[in-house]
């Protein structure tokens, strides 16, 4: 029972949440730059204008990673920073920033793991082609992906096309919690297909230009368990698994959509634009790995009404549990029976282990990276020290679940804690912290938390200290 010698011990961030410099050096606006300015959309009206100021402090941040012994850093490229309008026209200053960051990482022996799309679509594409509602956005994404492969591919060998399509589609096209904040289930599924095509086109482009590294996608996984053993709850669980798991993973890992579910949604919301050529493209574009972001399982019950209901998953009020969505199933909160974070996300390490088995059972022995996992909390500060013991406990238990999964034959290649540093939580501002490194919001100074030292030891012993 040990971690492989080349296991990538990592931590992750995303451009909009960490960089700041939202309008510096020729960067174009993203849909998030505009969305956060709409009153009431984010907690306290917080924006990513400054975020953790990583754009200006990346050298200091990489030095802290190196000192910890971090093996790999997952970050995303801001599309509008390198292509201000999303297509046709490169911002060399933006390219320079990522190029310098990559060089700095490599200089310190840290493997860059790059996400191309972590939700900050160029606003110009939303305005001009309706963003992911159109096939033109797919063309634009391929152009952007090619640019990144050409400029950074000599040094970057690990690529993630998209981060969590389910989240930006569900919140963007159903709950209205993320841009473009529309409520239209047909668009939810249609944009989902176009994003899969964009992923496939990027994979194909990477092979065409002779990329020798690996390329895949990151999805969130919330394995569903029936809340009770009733037939209704078990049926509801089928809907939950079909949507949140199979709908998103099948087209990537099998090159097809789950037929029964597709038929059901087309009956409910109308025919989707999916052609035979699309399907053959999906089939050709084999991913080298699957990235999974795991935070919590779903306890699923039948949804008896068409009304919306609270599910505790997202919030812009600074408190848990105010978002909602409709469907054939609902997610149950049961604080008597299960353990939760302050934001009411269930803590269940064994469901992470189970998630990996579900992937292996359905798709075979594909290499897996945990590309996000971590605890959102308000960390206690005692005598000036950030004592985030709850985070240590959370990550330790999830890493033990990973270790067990490896011993059961799961091909797990790396683990990225969310997050490297305290950063913007999309809707919860800076109140919800995830990092190993604390950021003083007054002066943006960095400070190592207790968890920083703990993770340093975990890495140094290749997980033996767990
Ligand atoms: C994931 C996102 C991350 C991060 C994380 C925590 O869905 O990929 O970007 O934000 O969730 O979410 P939150 O900040 O809402 O707690």
């Amino acid at each position: 029972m040990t971690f492989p010698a080349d296991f990538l011990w990592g931590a992750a961030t995303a451009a909009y949440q960490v960089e700041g410099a939202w309008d510096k050096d020729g960067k174009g606006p993203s849909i998030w730059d505009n969305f956060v300015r709409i009153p009431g959309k984010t907690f306290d009206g917080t924006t990513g204008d400054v975020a953790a100021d990583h754009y200006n402090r990346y050298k200091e941040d990489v030095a802290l990673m190196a000192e910890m012994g971090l093996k790999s850093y997952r970050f995303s490229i801001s599309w509008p920073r390198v292509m201000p309008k999303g297509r046709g026209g490169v911002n060399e200053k933006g390219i320079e920033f990522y190029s310098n960051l990559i060089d700095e990482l490599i200089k310190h022996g840290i493997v860059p793991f790059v996400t191309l799309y972590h939700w900050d679509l160029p606003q110009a594409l939303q305005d001009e082609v309706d963003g992911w509602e159109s096939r033109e956005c797919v063309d634009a994404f391929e152009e952007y992906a090619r640019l990144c492969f050409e400029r950074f591919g000599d040094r970057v060998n690990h690529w993630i096309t998209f981060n969590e399509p389910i989240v930006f589609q569900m919140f963007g096209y159903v709950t209205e919690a993320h841009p473009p904040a529309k409520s239209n289930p047909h668009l939810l599924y249609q944009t989902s297909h176009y994003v899969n095509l964009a992923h496939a086109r990027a994979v194909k482009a990477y092979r065409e230009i002779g990329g020798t590294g690996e390329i895949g996608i990151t999805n969130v996984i919330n394995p569903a368990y029936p809340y009770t053993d009733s037939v209704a709850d078990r049926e509801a669980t089928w809907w939950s698994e079909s949507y949140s798991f199979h709908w998103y993973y099948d087209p990537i890992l099998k090159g097809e959509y789950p037929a029964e579910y597709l038929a059901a949604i087309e009956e409910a919301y109308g025919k989707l634009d999916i052609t035979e050529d699309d399907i053959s493209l999906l089939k050709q574009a084999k991913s080298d790995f699957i990235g999974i972001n795991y935070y919590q399982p779903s306890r699923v019950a039948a949804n008896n009404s068409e009304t919306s209901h609270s599910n505790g998953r997202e919030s812009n009020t600074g408190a848990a549990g105010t978002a909602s969505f409709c469907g054939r199933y609902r997610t149950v909160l049961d604080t008597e029976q299960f353990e939760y974070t302050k934001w009411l996300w269930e803590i269940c390490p064994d469901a992470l282990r189970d998630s990996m088995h579900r992937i292996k059972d359905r798709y075979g022995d594909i290499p897996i990276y945990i590309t996000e996992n971590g605890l959102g909390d308000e960390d206690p500060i005692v005598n000036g020290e950030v004592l985030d013991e709850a985070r240590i406990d959370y990550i330790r238990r999830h890493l033990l679940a990973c270790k067990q999964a490896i011993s059961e034959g799961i091909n797990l290649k790396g683990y990225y804690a969310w997050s490297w540093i305290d950063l913007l939580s999309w809707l919860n501002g800076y109140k919800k912290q995830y990092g190993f490194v604390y950021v003083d919001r007054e002066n943006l100074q960095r400070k190592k938390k207790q968890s920083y030292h703990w993770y340093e030891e975990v890495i140094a012993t290749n997980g033996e200290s767990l």
Side-chain angles (χ1 to χ4, degrees):
M1 277 252 293
T2 75
F3 288 91
D6 58 353
F7 193 75
L8 288 183
W9 297 98
T13 64
Y16 186 66
Q17 297 176 277
V18 78
E19 285 176 2
W22 76 286
D23 61 351
K24 291 279 148 40
D25 295 339
K27 176 180 167 294
S30 78
I31 54 174
W32 272 93
D33 290 318
N34 289 1
F35 183 71
V36 294
R37 290 181 160 69
I38 303 171
K41 288 297 185 190
T42 61
F43 170 59
D44 262 358
T46 326
T47 73
D49 290 4
V50 175
D53 197 31
H54 178 67
Y55 187 77
N56 294 308
R57 295 170 197 244
Y58 74 91
K59 282 196 177 167
E60 181 188 347
D61 289 339
V62 174
L64 277 169
M65 293 175 201
E67 198 186 324
M68 182 202 253
L70 200 74
K71 300 269 189 235
S72 179
Y73 175 49
R74 174 184 174 224
F75 63 95
S76 78
I77 293 176
S78 160
W79 185 350
R81 195 181 290 290
V82 298
M83 282 187 142
K85 292 194 165 300
R87 48 187 180 173
V90 176
N91 176 29
E92 291 298 336
K93 288 295 264 181
I95 297 281
E96 193 183 307
F97 167 68
Y98 294 109
S99 197
N100 289 342
L101 171 61
I102 292 163
D103 287 345
E104 195 70 13
L105 289 165
I106 292 172
K107 191 169 100 192
H108 287 91
I110 300 167
V111 174
F113 214 117
V114 176
T115 310
L116 290 174
Y117 188 86
H118 204 124
W119 308 352
D120 46 353
L121 183 76
Q123 180 67 46
L125 287 175
Q126 192 64 48
D127 296 340
E128 289 163 19
V129 306
D130 289 327
W132 293 113
E133 294 160 46
S134 133
R135 284 180 184 263
E136 283 178 75
C137 201
V138 177
D139 298 335
F141 183 78
E142 182 182 338
E143 188 185 333
Y144 158 62
R146 280 182 185 271
L147 172 73
C148 294
F149 300 150
E150 277 156 15
R151 300 300 188 92
F152 311 126
D154 55 338
R155 289 156 291 161
V156 173
N157 291 312
H158 307 270
W159 296 94
I160 294 167
T161 53
F162 286 87
N163 180 70
E164 296 187 349
I166 188 173
V167 174
F168 69 84
Q169 289 155 16
M170 173 54 85
F171 293 141
Y173 290 98
V174 178
T175 71
E176 303 176 55
H178 284 191
K182 298 188 180 179
S183 182
N184 180 336
H186 183 267
L187 283 180
L188 164 74
Y189 293 105
Q190 191 60 66
T191 57
S192 178
H193 175 59
Y194 292 157
V195 166
N196 291 334
L197 291 183
H199 160 81
R201 292 263 294 271
V203 171
K204 222 176 141 207
Y206 187 60
R207 312 261 188 252
E208 276 167 18
I209 67 167
T212 53
E214 55 176 8
I215 184 164
I217 197 168
T218 275
N219 273 309
V220 75
I221 195 154
N222 301 100
Y225 301 92
Y227 180 55
T228 72
D229 204 30
S230 71
V231 172
D233 284 2
R234 280 187 279 129
E235 267 175 29
T237 302
W238 181 86
W239 285 101
S240 176
E241 280 291 270
S242 297
Y243 171 58
S244 68
F245 183 26
H246 306 156
W247 175 261
Y248 286 95
Y249 287 70
D250 283 13
I252 303 296
L253 298 178
K254 288 166 93 170
E256 63 192 37
Y257 288 96
E260 208 180 330
Y261 187 73
L262 175 62
I265 57 163
E266 287 198 321
E267 196 186 321
Y269 306 123
K271 201 110 189 86
L272 298 178
D273 170 30
I274 302 176
T275 68
E276 275 175 27
D277 284 353
D278 293 348
I279 295 296
S280 99
L281 172 67
L282 292 178
K283 284 203 191 296
Q284 285 165 39
K286 290 247 175 306
S287 290
D288 298 311
F289 64 86
I290 185 79
I292 59 174
N293 293 352
Y294 171 79
Y295 291 91
Q296 60 174 338
S298 299
R299 306 289 168 186
V300 177
N303 191 20
N304 296 321
S305 74
E306 284 302 301
T307 56
S308 55
H309 49 80
S310 175
N311 75 343
R313 182 77 173 97
E314 276 294 342
S315 154
N316 61 356
T317 63
T322 46
S324 60
F325 61 83
C326 306
R328 306 292 280 261
Y329 60 91
R330 66 195 172 91
T331 318
V332 181
L333 280 180
D334 180 345
T335 49
E336 301 275 291
Q337 212 187 133
F338 305 114
E339 184 188 352
Y340 291 90
T341 71
K342 210 175 268 179
W343 268 265
L344 294 180
W345 293 25
E346 189 186 330
I347 302 177
C348 184
D350 199 52
L352 170 58
R353 189 183 64 83
D354 186 28
S355 296
M356 293 188 252
H357 281 290
R358 288 184 190 202
I359 288 170
K360 189 174 180 187
D361 290 349
R362 194 167 173 94
Y363 308 111
D365 201 14
I366 177 137
I368 298 175
Y369 290 95
I370 311 290
T371 41
E372 283 181 31
N373 172 243
L375 177 70
D377 206 352
E378 290 170 287
D379 299 330
I381 302 185
V382 183
N383 298 328
E385 296 301 315
V386 187
L387 301 180
D388 55 342
E389 273 169 48
R391 178 163 304 106
I392 293 174
D393 184 59
Y394 181 100
I395 296 180
R396 188 180 59 80
R397 288 161 65 194
H398 286 81
L399 281 172
L400 287 172
C402 291
K403 194 171 178 182
Q404 190 179 336
I406 292 168
S407 77
E408 292 162 354
I410 297 293
N411 189 2
L412 180 63
K413 316 249 303 173
Y415 172 94
Y416 293 75
W418 183 268
S419 53
W420 163 249
I421 193 167
D422 282 350
L423 39 66
L424 176 82
S425 167
W426 297 94
L427 303 178
N428 308 281
Y430 298 96
K431 185 183 162 92
K432 193 179 188 186
Q433 298 162 273
Y434 279 95
F436 292 125
V437 176
Y438 170 83
V439 176
D440 185 322
R441 294 306 311 162
E442 298 282 309
N443 55 24
L444 301 167
Q445 272 177 15
R446 277 76 170 130
K447 190 176 173 64
K448 298 168 189 165
K449 299 185 190 177
Q450 195 180 356
S451 60
Y452 176 104
H453 300 290
W454 172 82
Y455 200 50
E456 180 175 5
E457 166 95 15
V458 172
I459 299 171
T461 62
N462 201 37
E464 289 312 306
S465 67
L466 287 166

